[in-house]
Amino acid sequence: MIIKNRSAFATMLGCCIGLTLTSANVFAQDFVLEEILVTATKRQQTLQETPMAVSVTSADTIEKAQILDIIDLQTVVPSLRVTQLQTSGNTNFLIRGFGNGANNPGIEPSVGVFIDGVYRSRSAAAIGDLPNLQRIEVLRGPQSTLFGKNASAGVISVVTALPGEDFGGSAKVTFGNYGQTIVKGEISGPVTDSLGFGLSASSNKSDGYFDNLSNGSEFNGRDRFGVRGQLYSTPSDRLSLRLILDYDELDEACCGVGNIINGATAGAVAGVGGSLVPENTFSRSGFVNFNPSNKVKNSGTSLQVDYDLENSLITSITSIRNVTRIEDADVDFTSADIIGTNFSDTDIDTFTQELRWSSVGGEKMDWMIGAFFFDEGVTYDTSLRYGSDARLYADLLAGQGVPGSLATLEAALGGLPPVLFAEGAGVVENAGQENTALSIFGQMDFYLNERTTLTLGVNFTQDEKDAFVRQPTNTDVFSSLDFIQIGFAQLFSALTGGQPPIPANFALFPTQFGQAQGLSTVDCSALTGPLCNPLLPFRALQPLLPFVDYPNAVENGNSDDDDVTWTARVAFEVNDDLNVYVSAGTGFKATSWNLSRDSRIFPADLAAIQAAGLSVNNLGTGTRFARPEESTVFEIGLKARFEKGALNVAIFDQRIEGFQSNIFTGLGFNLANAGEQSTTGFEFDGTYYPNENLQLTLAGTWMDPVYDSFVSAAGVLGPEDLSGTAPAGIHDLSVVASATYTKELANGWQGFARGNYLFEDKVRTNENVPAFAGFREVSVINASIGMSHDNGWDVIVWGRNLTDDDYLLSSAPVPFQAGSFLGYANAPRTYGVTVKKDF
């Protein structure tokens, strides 16, 4: 059974049944609330008719709330969390606490993002400013049956508007604090009776709110540009074609970090003349040698063809997309030149083809069958090199504040020149993968009677990847030194009168020779005790361990996965205004390969690597890939509408076996499978109209997330057992409330005032940040007030985070500064005015 907290689940189930029974008698038949159309099941239905957990944000809400991109969407959808991490292109989507996919191009998100039916395989391809929107649907829980690969946690579906039947358009400009200027324009209309066009463009710039105290510059701003064109043709009553071309780019300095804990390395940082802002996470200022660079270009073409066969519909969606990212940053986050550069260049080419055939308006049943093909190539080149202060910094750490240890070590190793931590030394990696996948799916809706529908769906997905990582350059001599063997050899020679440390001589001293020398009662046979080997502390200063390229004779770099996922659901229409459903389903996400510099051979492969003659000196172990993750959900829900509003409720019990965890370890990422992550939760989404002018909404999610099993999570000091603990970054309680008041004014004017509140309770922001630091708790108020005229003019004055609430987006260990931790702060209070003219 998936249910781990039966009493909590039973309590919520009872509440839901009680609400259903009491509500059935009070819902009125003259309900006039505007119906919202959705395509969550790849059929057009109203939101209240769709028997699954879906949150819909309309174009009107997006406009009034000034939601500029998908990152802002979380302020109106409590089950969704969107976190921008250390670069503009690293954005993580989570639904119900499940999700990953940032920081490593080998990992695709667990939350699938689709824009006009086209899958965006990486978050960097989905963070641009939103075009001419119709709505955004957030589908909660596994959606692999209809959406194929990488929807094991949910789906975000963005739907844009078709070209208008009449010629028209709009122009919009926004001015805000921090020098924000946003300009958007669109135009659409008919070319012929059967052909329409649409064009849009946008520019979004701001100065940023994070101060670089080293040079007086600012970052965490915006510099984005995008254009989009579409043609919509209806050559006949049965055939329609929609061609979309889009291009967007950003060139931003992102992202500033605050110091949470200033560890023991602070003295060495100061010793080389470095400065930082100690333990003031929300100062939104810091010292770096150069501003971070983020350049992302995203482009694509898609063609959707719909053909009506009277009683059925054939749909084809074809897309070709490209995403490129070039990024660099001073990742020691001080004014000292310790790490000189951390450069990366990513290029992703994606081709997708979806074909489906579905019935229309069946009396006894409706059906849908289809296939989805995915082909993608990824290249990822990175380099990290030491700066001019790296040698002195490492020397101070090695000598506990007194320089000279590195020179002494170089002399002891045979008179090496000063090569340890030399300026410009470092590593270069070339990585990539080829990925092909095919999903075949089908779903049937059986109408058991006028009020009961049984839905059964199944999907077969086959996913193959060929990955590689090569390290053609590693000039970090220090990290290649095996201090276990070096220290043992020195001690052995000293205790045996200069004999070489070869196996034939090991009998010259006993296993307990540490005690024999009066050192301690210690067993030195493992060669690792500090009293047996005084050189062991040097190992903490080896961040760039030597690497074994793959594929190789032992590791083929190939994964070939397949899985069958399914959906089963019963929906019952209690009356015209109340629907209830019970559902179960599964999701699947294929193997993900670690393309970061922390991609290491598995411990189980070490002996084979050595036997094949592939081992290098001081070789470390870790993980190359994470095996597939499989999700399961049980859910019950109701969808109700009454005289002045609507209420949707869902109770779920969800788990992911083999959750693909990607934890930052300092200069790379540890990709590993958690045994199981699960949560039981309760969601509600209500809308109420006290009168025709006032709309009130209240939505919330309560969960109890837990790692049921995660034995070997990457910790700061080594592997940790996180079993039984709550996953970082997942809130038990999230609530969104809003009030919107509209009023007809004189002389053709209409006005509105809107406020919304987001609350998320306290939670840790990273698995390997100490429990006493790095917390996140959100309490944000946004508001807007506007007026519009019948002649097309709109003016909106808006503010976000009006109370200037401070909270962390995420946190991590500071690279090459053991014991220090950093955090990414949220944006401070922002405000502005938007003027729009429709024509």
Side-chain angles (χ1 to χ4, degrees), residues 86-90 212 219-220 250-256 288-296 324-333 337 339-346 380-387 427 597 667 824:
Q86 76 273 22
T87 68
S88 297
N90 277 316
N212 181 2
F219 45 96
N220 279 28
L250 63 83
D251 186 355
E252 299 172 350
C254 186
C255 303
V288 291
N289 299 332
F290 60 91
N291 286 349
S293 172
N294 298 258
K295 298 181 179 180
V296 178
T324 61
R325 294 170 52 185
I326 298 177
E327 298 164 340
D328 197 3
D330 178 16
V331 295
D332 59 60
F333 302 110
D337 189 21
I339 298 177
T341 184
N342 183 33
F343 177 83
S344 66
D345 184 351
T346 308
Y380 180 54
D381 301 321
T382 67
S383 63
L384 185 147
R385 300 187 184 278
Y386 294 129
V427 296
R597 66 176 54 92
L667 286 174
Y824 294 89

Side-chain angles (χ1 to χ4, degrees), residues 100 102-104 107 594 596 598 623 659-674 707 710 712-716 718-720 722 727-728 765-769 811-813:
N100 55 19
N103 293 314
N104 193 327
I107 307 175
N594 190 348
S596 84
D598 225 20
T623 64
F659 174 73
Q660 295 175 357
S661 169
N662 189 46
I663 298 177
F664 184 59
T665 55
L667 286 174
F669 293 86
N670 180 265
L671 175 62
N673 292 103
Y707 283 127
F710 196 177
S712 57
V716 176
E720 295 182 359
L722 296 179
T765 53
N766 197 287
E767 312 288 4
N768 55 9
V769 172
S811 58

Side-chain angles (χ1 to χ4, degrees), residues 575-657:
N575 56 44
D576 291 343
D577 299 312
L578 176 63
N579 300 302
V580 297
Y581 65 90
V582 179
S583 68
T586 62
F588 167 71
K589 178 180 171 185
T591 294
S592 290
W593 286 83
N594 190 348
L595 301 186
S596 84
R597 66 176 54 92
D598 225 20
S599 176
R600 303 286 174 188
I601 64 171
F602 288 99
D605 291 330
L606 179 59
I609 290 289
Q610 293 171 335
L614 299 173
S615 184
V616 294
N617 196 40
N618 204 30
L619 177 63
T621 60
T623 64
R624 291 293 201 192
F625 56 82
R627 292 176 175 83
E629 60 181 37
E630 297 180 338
S631 56
T632 307
V633 65
F634 293 96
E635 182 174 305
I636 63 173
L638 70 82
K639 299 202 167 185
R641 49 185 188 171
F642 49 97
E643 186 177 4
K644 293 186 177 183
L647 175 66
N648 300 327
V649 175
I651 299 171
F652 60 89
D653 198 271
Q654 185 171 332
R655 70 175 175 182
I656 290 185
E657 293 186 1

